[in-house]
């Protein structure tokens, strides 16, 4: 099989798939929606599901593998290639991009995002969850019904330092109320639950949070700073530390602010991301709780 490269031919805005098409006729939506609405029924459907993935072989060439859902417990995100990829086209309204992500492998890694909404959420997850491995468009989940099959490609798969896996779908407030999409998300949730994974459905982030994420994402480049020592200095302050005071403790002036932004970008220090970052914004050593209105309960 050919190796995947970073360029994709134009497909008039359609995704380019790297795995064989799904076999079988589509299941009737009425049956899918009814099964997804019943906890026991959707758990049974999820337990019998299969997944198709694209795994990098020893020589880097991607290999298609299909297995029962139980085999997903052994997945390593660093070895997963995207099963599909967005393709740009003239006058497209969406925003596709690549984002550098952490990796436990020897090589640097970047993954695809299919929209600005996805990119913002991935930056949010990188900052707040601090994953050690990330894959996007990493698998096609397939569920079998009496009338046919249905499938879904979740957006993100993340693994943290403790080995816990989180599956994430990013959509919009208007789309998530569609009964068909809601049924697919419920089946995905049941599948993740059966694997012991966390599953999140996320909708649009508040504009201020997006602005803060973009700013912090672009600020993590002080490679000479001893981040752990700098964070310890902030923690040892006898009074609550705001942005102005933190910058003074870190050297003052522009250098102090740059060092603080770098600490925020690497998750060593934190501010409230939903509010404007001002000089009197509180700087903490742990992630402050937010409203998380973008996390959608199914």
């Amino acid at each position: 099989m050919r190796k995947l490269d970073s360029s994709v031919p134009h497909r008039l805005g359609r995704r380019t798939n790297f795995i064989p098409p799904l076999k079988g006729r589509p299941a009737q939506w009425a049956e899918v929606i009814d099964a997804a609405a019943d906890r026991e029924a959707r758990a049974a459907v999820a337990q019998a599901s299969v997944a198709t993935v694209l795994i990098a072989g020893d020589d880097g060439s991607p290999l298609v593998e299909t297995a029962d859902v139980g085999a997903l417990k052994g997945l390593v995100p660093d070895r997963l290639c995207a099963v599909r990829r967005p393709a740009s086209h003239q006058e497209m309204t969406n925003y596709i991009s690549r984002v550098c992500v952490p990796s436990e492998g020897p090589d640097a890694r970047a993954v695809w995002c299919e929209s600005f909404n996805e990119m913002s959420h991935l930056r949010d997850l990188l900052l707040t969850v601090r994953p050690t491995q990330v894959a996007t468009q990493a698998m096609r989940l397939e569920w079998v019904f009496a009338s046919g099959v249905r499938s879904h490609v979740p957006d993100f798969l993340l693994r943290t330092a403790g080995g816990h896996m989180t599956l994430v779908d990013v959509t919009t407030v208007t789309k998530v109320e569609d009964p068909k999409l809601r049924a697919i998300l419920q089946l995905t949730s049941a599948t993740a639950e059966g694997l012991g994974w966390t599953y999140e459905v996320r909708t649009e982030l508040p504009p201020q949070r997006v602005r803060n994420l973009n700013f912090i994402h672009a600020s993590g480049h002080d490679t000479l700073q001893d981040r752990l020592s700098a964070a310890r200095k902030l923690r040892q302050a006898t009074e609550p530390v705001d942005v102005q005071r933190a910058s003074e403790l870190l050297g003052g002036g522009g250098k102090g602010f740059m060092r603080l932004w770098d600490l925020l970008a690497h998750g060593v220090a934190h501010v409230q991301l939903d509010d404007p970052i001002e000089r009197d914004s509180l700087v903490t050593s742990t992630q402050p709780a937010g409203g998380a209105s973008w996390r959608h309960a199914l």
Side-chain angles (χ1 to χ4, degrees), residues 9 11 24 54 78 86 93 100 103 139 161 179 192 236 239 245 268:
R11 293 288 187 273
L54 202 58
D78 270 348
T93 58
C100 293
S103 171
M139 69 190 72
Q236 290 173 345
E239 298 179 358
R245 178 58 177 155
V268 184

Side-chain angles (χ1 to χ4, degrees), residues 141-204:
L141 298 176
E142 302 156 16
W143 303 285
V144 179
F145 298 86
S147 60
V149 295
R150 285 291 170 182
S151 66
H152 176 57
V153 178
D155 293 314
F156 306 142
L157 179 65
L158 301 89
R159 182 176 181 177
T160 57
H164 185 70
M165 303 280 268
T166 299
L167 197 62
V168 180
D169 269 310
V170 177
T171 183
T172 64
V173 172
T174 54
K175 289 181 180 179
V176 80
E177 297 304 329
D178 183 327
K180 297 178 182 178
L181 177 59
R182 184 177 181 83
I184 291 296
L185 298 179
Q186 287 174 321
L187 291 170
T188 305
S189 178
T191 304
E193 182 180 348
L195 291 164
W197 295 356
T198 297
Y199 179 61
E200 291 186 7
V201 176
R202 290 170 161 239
T203 55
E204 299 96 329

Side-chain angles (χ1 to χ4, degrees), residues 101 128 192 194 262 297:
V101 296
T128 59
D262 179 79

Side-chain angles (χ1 to χ4, degrees), residues 224-267:
L224 299 179
Q225 177 174 213
D226 183 343
R227 298 186 180 104
L228 295 181
S229 296
R232 189 180 305 113
K233 186 178 297 184
L234 297 182
R235 289 197 303 270
Q236 290 173 345
T238 56
E239 298 179 358
V241 176
D242 59 17
V243 167
Q244 179 64 45
R245 178 58 177 155
S247 69
E248 294 168 356
L249 291 172
L250 295 174
K255 180 185 292 185
F257 282 110
M258 290 182 64
R259 288 176 173 172
L260 175 59
W261 307 146
D262 179 79
L263 295 184
L264 297 178
H266 287 85

Side-chain angles (χ1 to χ4, degrees), residues 56 76-81 101-105 109 132-135:
V76 178
D78 270 348
R79 294 190 60 201
L80 295 177
C81 305
V101 296
S103 171
E104 296 183 72
R109 182 171 170 87
T132 57
Q133 297 184 34
V134 178

Side-chain angles (χ1 to χ4, degrees), residues 2 7-19 21 82-89 92 94-96 112-115 118 136-140 151-155 169-171 175 181:
R2 67 182 177 85
S7 63
V8 176
H10 285 225
R11 293 288 187 273
L12 299 179
R14 294 174 294 181
R15 300 180 181 94
T16 298
N17 292 305
F18 298 114
I19 57 177
V83 299
R84 69 183 187 191
R85 188 171 296 171
S88 61
H89 63 99
M92 69 182 298
N94 214 8
Y95 179 90
I96 61 175
W112 285 95
C113 291
E114 293 187 309
S115 66
E118 281 190 16
T136 60
Q137 312 290 311
M139 69 190 72
R140 183 178 66 200
S151 66
H152 176 57
V153 178
D155 293 314
D169 269 310
V170 177
T171 183
K175 289 181 180 179
L181 177 59

